[in-house]
Amino acid sequence: LWPVTISLNSHSASLPTGITLPVVPLIADWMHLIAAGTWVGGLVALATTVISTRTADRTSNVAFIGALVQRFSPLALACVLVLALTGAFQSLILVASTGALTGTDHGWGLVLKLGLVAILIGLGAVNLIWVRPRLVRQSSDTLSHGADAGRQVAILANVVGIEIVLTMSVLVIVGAMTQIGRAHV
């Protein structure tokens, strides 16, 4: 319930005049926050686990890391889908025109945020399409826990680390956008 209090003071608080029932935007904002928190929290937990197990014996940990990535990937994908749907809905309400997108500080913040999110989705796709299948395959083949397994774990750790830095950048931008208010043009 804690994210509801944030929703009451963020996007929902700056709704355009004329919206008398802000329940749907409030729910969309709440879902957006839950999905973002789940994704970011999952990334941090994934990075922490991968980094800590990476320094140990890779032969015994590839199966664990493969299973971890196998479980996190669908969750991350679901979070990204919820973020995309709720973000698009909020943008329709809060950024009512193309002029508001490119003619206001809030709009430019949104453009920057969307650019970083596009990079994040690309990095997530690398993990989903490239790293995850190789880790899962190697975790089931005990003879392949050699250099390639270590290389896949290193790629995963690097990509997740970059994702965390970009995600923190997105959160800083969102904080600034909340302070700016909605796009008026």
Side-chain angles (χ1 to χ4, degrees):
L1 292 176
W2 174 68
V4 170
T5 62
I6 296 171
S7 294
L8 289 169
N9 290 309
S10 64
H11 298 303
S12 298
S14 63
L15 289 173
T17 56
I19 295 183
T20 56
L21 264 179
V23 174
V24 174
L26 177 70
I27 291 170
D29 193 61
W30 176 73
M31 289 175 61
H32 199 80
L33 289 171
I34 294 292
T38 302
W39 188 24
V40 172
L43 279 174
V44 171
L46 180 63
T48 303
T49 305
V50 169
I51 290 168
S52 66
T53 59
R54 193 175 142 188
T55 58
D57 177 30
R58 285 190 179 132
T59 303
S60 62
N61 291 321
V62 169
F64 175 72
I65 293 171
L68 185 65
V69 171
Q70 182 82 357
R71 289 184 179 176
F72 177 70
S73 292
L75 175 67
L77 185 59
C79 288
V80 168
L81 290 174
V82 169
L83 287 167
L85 291 172
T86 57
F89 175 75
Q90 291 171 345
S91 293
L92 288 173
I93 293 172
L94 297 171
V95 183
S97 69
T98 307
L101 190 62
T102 59
T104 65
D105 290 339
H106 187 275
W108 280 111
L110 180 60
V111 169
L112 182 57
K113 173 188 165 184
L114 291 175
L116 291 176
V117 168
I119 295 168
L120 280 165
I121 290 171
L123 291 170
V126 167
N127 282 339
L128 181 68
I129 296 168
W130 179 262
V131 177
R132 177 178 157 230
R134 284 162 179 73
L135 281 174
V136 170
R137 184 175 59 243
Q138 289 169 355
S139 67
S140 64
D141 179 13
T142 57
L143 298 175
S144 69
H145 295 309
D148 192 46
R151 189 170 40 252
Q152 296 307 319
V153 172
I155 290 169
L156 176 67
N158 291 334
V159 170
V160 170
I162 293 167
E163 283 180 289
I164 290 171
V165 169
L166 290 175
T167 301
M168 295 305 140
S169 301
V170 168
L171 293 176
V172 168
I173 292 167
V174 168
M177 288 172 61
T178 301
Q179 294 303 312
I180 293 168
R182 72 179 185 90
H184 300 284
V185 169

